[in-house]
Every structure is written in structure tokens, then in C-alpha cells.
Amino acid sequence: MELVSDWASHGGRQLVCRHASEAAGGEMTFAVFLPPGAEEGPKPILWYLSGLTCTHANVMEKGEYRRAAAEAGVIVICPDTSPRGDAADDPAYDLGQGAGFYFDATQAPWAGRYNMKTYVTEELPALVAAEFPADMDRQGIFGHSMGGHGALTLALGLPGRFRSVSAFAPIVAPSLVPWGEKALSAYLGPDRAAWRRHDAVAMIEDGGRVDEILVDQGEADSFLDRELRPELLERACAEAGIPLTLRRHPGYDHSYYFISTFMGDHVNFHAERLRR
């Protein structure tokens, strides 16, 4: 692992690291915030999964999570959203680089490198556990948009791994919206039954469970009705008996202005559950 940069922030350290990834077939970069006192012993870990077009840097530079994470004593890990370099690509922003969707592709030309589920649930956690003072028994996960989809599906698909899960404006039912249909068909093929294992609403319908979910959604989000459809998650959780706090915010859009406004609430939500 190579340390790319190291900044002091809120009494802790904001790092950017690079490493060779077998899952992604090349170099991957990720951000790590170590809160004050991290050298004194293992700290809870919070994974943030970014949305379409993003790298590790978007939330690191605009997400405003460090003050809350420093006060809560939580490590925050921010992976990239896809393989980079000579990875297969597509001219559209919603497929290929910057659009890994947090599952493992099975279809050419994506198979072999687009293994983002393996990367964020196996390879990167193993590296983090080896290199940082992370308490791997206390993990939470959250994300934005495509990353909110990833946070929900990974938490639902890995029972017991994460003590907490939340999302900003997540894609809750990718099988039913254009972004998701495009990615699922390209990466996984035409079998819609296989898509259900990567669709939060379908996973809940099929028996997937978490203790509770926090979601924030801007009502001025231009993707709300076509791509996000939080009402589908609301209905699925109600029918399954999963406590869902869905907060709708007038005037807020899909941007990091929205995310940064409510970031502290999410970090504190996770910190409270990670302390239990």
C-alpha cells in the first residue's frame, strides 16, 4: 500500500492511499479518515460508497464528514466507484468507469475487473484491517445514489456484517429504473431473476433484513421520480416490518450541498449504533 497524501484535520488525519487490487485488476485509490486517538486502539469503521461519476475524492473534499467523525471517534473509509486505467469503458456517464454499482460483473467486457462487491466487502476490508486500527467487529455502511444502492444491498446481503446502514437519495429498486436496468443488463446479463440479489426492494421482498434504515431524500432532486423512487423502499420496509426513517427535504437536490447538510446526522446515527 502506498500513502499518497496525509493531511491533519479536526485533530485526526485524512489519508489517501493507493494499492494493487486483484479484484479490480489494477491500482485502486481510497480515502481514510483516522479520528483523534486512533493510535490508542481500534476504532469503529464507517464505509461511505459514492455515486455515479465519483471517485474517493468527491466526498472527501465536499462531504464534510470529518468534524462529526472526529467527535464520534469513527474511522471513515471512502473507496472509489469502479476500476480505473484501461478498464472497459462506455461513453455514457452511467456505465463503465465511475459506475461500478457495487456488484461483480459476469458479462464481457466487464467481467474480470468490475468486481466492486468483492473489492468493497473482501479485498479492501482485509487491507484496512491489516494497515489501520480498525475494529472490524463494529462496522457501518452508508452511501449516496448508486452508493446508497450499494450500502443497502450489501447490508441486506451480508447479515451481521454491518451494525448500521443509511443512505442519501439511494437507487432503491434498480431493476425498475433506467440507471439500474442499464447497469444490471450490461454487467449481469438479461436474466432478471439474477438482478434481484442486487436490488434492495427485491431483496427485502425475498426475505433480506436489517435492524433499521435511515434515508434522506431531497424533494427538489431531479432524479427522484424516474431513478430513485423512495416510496418503493418505504412500502417494502412497511410490509417487512423493517424500521425505516425516510426524511424528505423540500428544496434540496441530488448534490453534495444536500449531502453535506445532513452528513453529521448520518455519522452520528452510525456512531451511536457502533458504540452499542
Side-chain angles (χ1 to χ4, degrees):
M1 187 186 75
E2 175 189 356
L3 180 62
V4 177
S5 56
D6 184 347
W7 297 284
S9 181
H10 294 284
R13 297 167 64 200
Q14 177 65 65
L15 313 178
V16 174
C17 303
R18 182 184 298 124
H19 71 109
S21 167
E22 182 177 346
E27 286 193 337
M28 291 290 280
T29 302
F30 63 100
V32 183
F33 177 70
L34 299 176
E39 68 281 354
E40 298 170 4
K43 301 295 184 184
I45 183 168
L46 182 55
W47 299 89
Y48 178 89
L49 306 184
S50 292
L52 289 166
T53 76
C54 292
T55 70
H56 68 283
N58 295 73
V59 67
M60 184 183 76
E61 295 171 356
K62 297 183 287 186
E64 300 182 19
Y65 57 80
R66 278 174 289 272
R67 180 184 296 277
E71 293 173 353
V74 175
I75 294 172
V76 181
I77 308 288
C78 308
D80 202 347
T81 50
S82 77
R84 298 288 169 174
D86 60 352
D89 205 1
D90 185 277
Y93 74 95
D94 53 359
L95 193 67
Q97 294 192 57
F101 272 84
Y102 304 102
F103 44 71
D104 292 350
T106 61
Q107 304 297 302
W110 317 102
R113 291 201 64 187
Y114 276 70
N115 298 311
M116 290 304 294
K117 179 179 180 181
T118 295
Y119 179 68
V120 300
T121 64
E122 298 180 22
E123 186 177 44
L124 187 55
L127 179 64
V128 167
E131 298 287 346
F132 301 103
D135 184 347
M136 305 306 287
D137 291 328
R138 293 188 291 165
Q139 298 185 63
I141 190 167
F142 67 148
H144 169 234
S145 194
M146 178 185 72
H149 141 79
L152 293 172
T153 57
L154 296 181
L156 287 162
L158 295 168
R161 168 74 70 90
F162 303 104
R163 293 192 184 188
S164 53
V165 57
S166 72
F168 300 97
I171 305 170
V172 304
S175 299
L176 302 177
V177 301
W179 274 343
E181 289 182 315
K182 180 177 181 178
L184 289 161
S185 60
Y187 294 144
L188 301 180
D191 182 7
R192 298 183 74 94
W195 298 4
R196 295 185 67 83
R197 297 191 297 273
H198 308 283
D199 180 308
V201 168
M203 293 173 77
I204 292 170
E205 292 172 348
D206 293 343
R209 295 293 181 268
V210 292
D211 290 339
E212 59 182 319
I213 301 170
L214 168 65
V215 170
D216 277 299
Q217 175 63 61
E219 291 187 342
D221 191 321
S222 60
F223 304 113
L224 177 59
D225 296 329
R226 179 177 170 85
E227 305 285 5
L228 307 179
R229 304 192 62 187
E231 72 280 359
L232 299 179
L233 180 65
E234 191 171 37
R235 184 175 65 196
C237 286
E239 293 176 353
I242 298 174
L244 168 66
T245 300
L246 173 56
R247 307 192 305 182
R248 295 176 169 89
H249 304 283
Y252 284 91
D253 62 7
H254 202 67
S255 71
Y256 270 90
Y257 295 107
F258 158 63
I259 296 167
S260 63
T261 300
F262 303 104
M263 177 63 80
D265 292 349
H266 282 247
V267 172
N268 291 331
F269 169 85
H270 290 277
E272 179 182 347
R273 285 145 186 83
L274 295 173
R275 283 193 294 265
R276 292 176 183 171

